[in-house]
Amino acid sequence: MLTKRGSGLSRREFVQLAGGTLAALGMSGALTPKLARALTKAAAGRPKVVWLHFASDTGCTESLIKSDHPSAGELVLDILSVDYHESIMAAAGKQADEVLAKAVAGKDYICVVEGGIPTVPGHGMIGGREMLEIAKEVCGSAVAVVAIGSCAVDGGVPAAKPNPSRILGVDQALNMKGKVINLPCCPVNPEWLIGTVVYITTMGKVPELDGKGRPKMFYGRKIHDNCPRRTHFDGGRFVEQFGSKEEAEGYCLYKLGCKGPEAWSECPKSRWNSKESWCIEIGSPCLGCSENNWTDHFAPFYSKLADVALPYGDLTADKIGIGLAVATGAAIAGHAVLKAVKGKGDEAKKE
Ligand code: SF4
Ligand code: SF4
C-alpha cells in the first residue's frame, strides 16, 4: 500500500487513477509511470492549493465537484492538499483568516482563483478586506496562479457592461502577465483544471500556452473544427428555428447564433457532467464562453456571426443556403417537368 495521508489506495489503484487521468486528458499512456511516480511523490507532500473566491456564482466549484477522472474527493484528498477553499472547508470567519494566513506563509502553493476582482474600493470585501488586496497578497507569493472560469480570466458575466464595480480578471487586475494560466469557460471544465495541475506535477513546468495564456492542449482547436454537426455546416443544412424538423435532424446551429467558428476549446471532446453531454449536443448554440469578453462581444447570443468563411471558396453560409435553395428549387422544378413528360408518355402508351 502507498503511504498516503488519509488514503487507502493501493499502488495498482493509484496507477489506474494516473492512467485514467492521462486518458481523460488525451495524453499518452506512456506517461502513466511518470505520472504515478510524480503523484506518489506528491502523496508524501501533496502540492498545496490555495483557492480564492471573488465575484462569481461558484459555478466552477460546482463544475469541479462533478469531476470523476479523478473524482473531486480523490483530487482533494489524494492528489492535492487544498489548504484553503471557502466553499468546502469547515472553518469560517476569523478561523478562516487564520487558515489562509497559515496556508500562504510558506509561499509554496499553487493559487487557484475563481471569480473576477472588483477594483472600485468598497465594491468587493471579504472579512473587511478588499478582494483586490487579498488577491495581490496571495497571488503574489504563489508558485503558480491558475485563473479558472471566465470571471477570473477577464471578469466574465459580472464584468458585462456597464460594470460599475470595474471587475477585472486576475491578470488584468494584478498585471501579472506571464504568470497566470488562464482556463476560461463558464464554468471551467474540471478536466482542464485537473489536467493543468497534473501536467505541472508530472512535467515540472507550465503547459504550453497560447497568446491568451490558455494551455494549448485544452484550447488549441476551434469548436467548429471538432463539431459533430460540421458536415451539416459544410453541406449548407442549417436549423432556422427552434422546434423545427431541421432541429430534430441535428442540423448546424450557425443561423441560431452558434459561435463555434470563433470559439477555441476542447468542449466537444472533454464534455461535461462525467462526459454525459455538452452545449451543442443538447441543442444549444455555442455562446463562445471560452473567448475574452464573450458576454459583450458575442451578444445577442442568438444572432448569427457575420461572414463565416466556408472551406470551399469565399461563399458565406447564407449564400450556400440560398444556393442550395435555388438548386433544390431547380431540382424540384426539373423533377416536376420530368414527371409531366413521363405522365404524357404513359398516357400516349395507353392510347
Ligand atoms: S456553426 Fe456551430 S453547430 Fe455548426 S458546425 Fe460550427 S460549431 Fe457546430
Ligand atoms: S460549447 Fe461554447 S458555450 Fe459551451 S462551454 Fe464550450 S465554449 Fe462555452
Side-chain angles (χ1 to χ4, degrees):
M1 301 284 277
L2 288 164
T3 311
K4 298 173 70 201
R5 277 185 288 164
S7 169
L9 285 180
S10 67
R11 176 161 183 85
R12 186 182 159 82
E13 287 167 332
F14 203 56
V15 171
Q16 272 174 354
L17 169 64
T21 303
L22 286 173
L25 300 176
M27 289 161 75
S28 165
L31 288 172
T32 303
K34 194 171 178 184
L35 177 61
R37 267 202 308 281
L39 293 180
T40 306
K41 200 172 143 208
R46 295 166 295 163
K48 226 174 163 184
V49 169
V50 171
W51 188 300
L52 298 179
H53 262 112
F54 298 126
S56 79
D57 62 358
T58 318
C60 290
T61 291
E62 291 279 351
S63 178
L64 182 80
I65 288 168
K66 300 279 184 240
S67 160
D68 61 0
H69 291 296
S71 70
E74 287 164 334
L75 181 77
V76 171
L77 298 174
D78 295 328
I79 299 174
L80 304 178
S81 173
V82 181
D83 286 16
Y84 183 85
H85 188 309
E86 287 159 13
S87 304
I88 61 174
M89 68 186 197
K94 199 167 161 23
Q95 200 187 6
D97 291 343
E98 287 165 8
V99 171
L100 180 59
K102 197 172 158 205
V104 301
K107 301 185 177 181
D108 55 350
Y109 55 91
I110 294 172
C111 182
V112 171
V113 183
E114 177 177 1
I117 303 176
T119 57
V120 173
H123 281 223
M125 314 280 288
I126 299 175
R129 291 180 72 200
E130 295 284 348
M131 288 178 176
L132 182 61
E133 183 193 330
I134 297 170
K136 268 184 198 162
E137 185 183 300
V138 179
C139 294
S141 310
V143 172
V145 178
V146 186
I148 62 160
S150 301
C151 304
V153 170
D154 68 359
V157 173
K161 282 177 189 161
N163 193 9
S165 300
R166 283 209 306 276
I167 293 173
L168 299 174
V170 183
D171 196 41
Q172 301 159 308
L174 306 183
N175 198 18
M176 295 183 73
K177 234 174 177 57
K179 202 175 173 190
V180 179
I181 302 169
N182 284 327
L183 302 180
C185 269
C186 188
V188 67
N189 189 301
E191 279 187 14
W192 306 339
L193 172 60
I194 294 165
T196 302
V197 173
V198 164
Y199 188 96
I200 295 170
T201 308
T202 315
M203 304 296 179
K205 62 179 181 183
V206 168
E208 194 185 352
L209 306 178
D210 68 8
K212 295 176 180 171
R214 306 176 293 190
K216 283 188 179 173
M217 60 184 174
F218 303 123
Y219 299 89
R221 287 191 294 179
K222 281 184 182 175
I223 286 178
H224 187 58
D225 295 339
N226 226 0
C227 178
R229 299 186 189 226
R230 178 60 188 264
T231 49
H232 292 304
F233 177 89
D234 290 346
R237 296 181 292 276
F238 302 102
V239 181
E240 305 269 353
Q241 226 182 345
F242 286 116
S244 63
K245 186 167 71 64
E246 290 74 20
E247 188 193 7
E249 293 286 343
Y251 285 2
C252 171
L253 299 166
Y254 165 76
K255 289 191 176 180
L256 291 183
C258 184
K259 309 299 184 289
E262 288 187 10
W264 293 73
S265 85
E266 288 290 335
C267 297
K269 192 170 149 201
S270 303
R271 305 158 71 85
W272 263 263
N273 297 335
S274 304
K275 293 197 174 289
E276 191 63 34
S277 194
W278 67 292
C279 307
I280 287 176
E281 187 170 302
I282 60 162
S284 165
C286 166
L287 304 185
C289 74
S290 61
E291 298 308 307
N292 285 352
N293 192 26
W294 68 278
T295 44
D296 290 333
H297 180 64
F298 288 131
F301 296 132
Y302 296 111
S303 291
K304 69 178 170 56
L305 289 169
D307 295 328
V308 171
L310 289 171
Y312 34 86
D314 61 353
L315 292 171
T316 61
D318 270 353
K319 286 176 191 164
I320 279 285
I322 292 164
L324 274 184
V326 170
T328 308
I332 291 169
H335 183 70
V337 169
L338 279 174
K339 209 171 161 191
V341 170
K342 191 171 175 291
K344 283 207 167 130
D346 289 348
E347 275 165 27
K349 261 188 207 163
K350 269 186 209 162
E351 278 170 16

